[in-house]
Amino acid sequence: MNESSDFRLKKIPLSYGGGHMPVLGFGTLIPDIDVTTNATRYALEAGFRHFDCAERYRNEREVGDALQAWLAAGEISREDIFVTTKLWNTNHRPERVKPAFDASLDKLRLNYLDLYLIHTPFAFQPGDDQDPRDQNGNIFYDHGVTLLDTWRAMESLVDQGTCRAIGLSDITLDGLLPLYEAARIKPAVVQVESHPYLPETEFLKFCNEKGIVFLVGAPLGHGMSAGPLEDPVIKAIASRVGQTPAQVLLAWGVQRGTAVLAKTRTEARAKENFNISPLPQDAFDEINSIRTRQRLNDVTTTGVPGFIPRVRSM
């Protein structure tokens, strides 16, 4: 196995819950539900074995169709893939956690999950409407439940054996600390926005010290034109090493010890995102020296992901 291949197939052990997470993951936040199954199939063909889903994306069933087709054909075994999904904000009340988990498991057509995340640390008004708002467009928050209440219900899923590990998404280090201290089962993973404009160095250091996998949900800066993909340092390095800016950003994320997620609808881009190689040390250091600082998604202050279309339940 050559260095590049080994780099792409690297796995990070989960200190809490067991198992190993592939460092390269495929994100399934694909607004067009109709292309989700093909996009997931392209990711499988490219070599991805880590799939990041969410109740809120409203396409777990389509992802599950692609995974099941490969499982049925004998292309992969269940142990070959690492599947994550997430509890949405309207299901934070403890009595709603297991039904939400079971519904996701059913849509994905799996008998266990490798990882279940609290999608954001904000509780919304419980109900079928995933985006509950008042007449002025303000979110209805649920102040009758705490994050620790929700976490205790998540811990029960691990106890029952159908969920191997639990964690949180879109949380800050300050938000994580009190829950980490109080948790009986520690978070195995935190998934956050991070890229050269938002390196989250202190957060990453804490996770490394505590054995928590730091999973980057936006290594390409959400693909925004004003983001790191267009940064002149990244573009110059890409030209110098013969990779695309996306490949450079993904490689930088892996080299700094994080797991990264990339999403795409196309076969060509799935192959590109998986086909990354280690960066020369000078290039890696140059990216670390970028001084632009910008968070591109304010979900950590509102609980409303800025890149998921608002959809009201029917």
Side-chain angles (χ1 to χ4, degrees), residues 14 78 81-84 112-116 163-166:
L14 271 61
R78 176 63 183 91
I81 54 174
F82 187 101
V83 183
T84 302
Y112 70 89
L113 276 177
D114 298 278
L115 177 66
Y116 196 43
C163 179
R164 295 193 168 176
I166 51 178

Side-chain angles (χ1 to χ4, degrees), residues 4 24 94 110 117 123 133 135 141 147 216 218 242-243 254 269 294 300-301 306 310 314:
S4 295
L24 275 176
L110 300 172
L117 303 177
R133 295 175 183 260
Q135 59 186 9
Y141 291 97
L147 186 60
V216 177
Q243 297 185 30
V254 173
R269 189 60 58 83
Q294 184 181 11
T300 56
T301 59
R310 286 175 59 178
M314 301 301 291

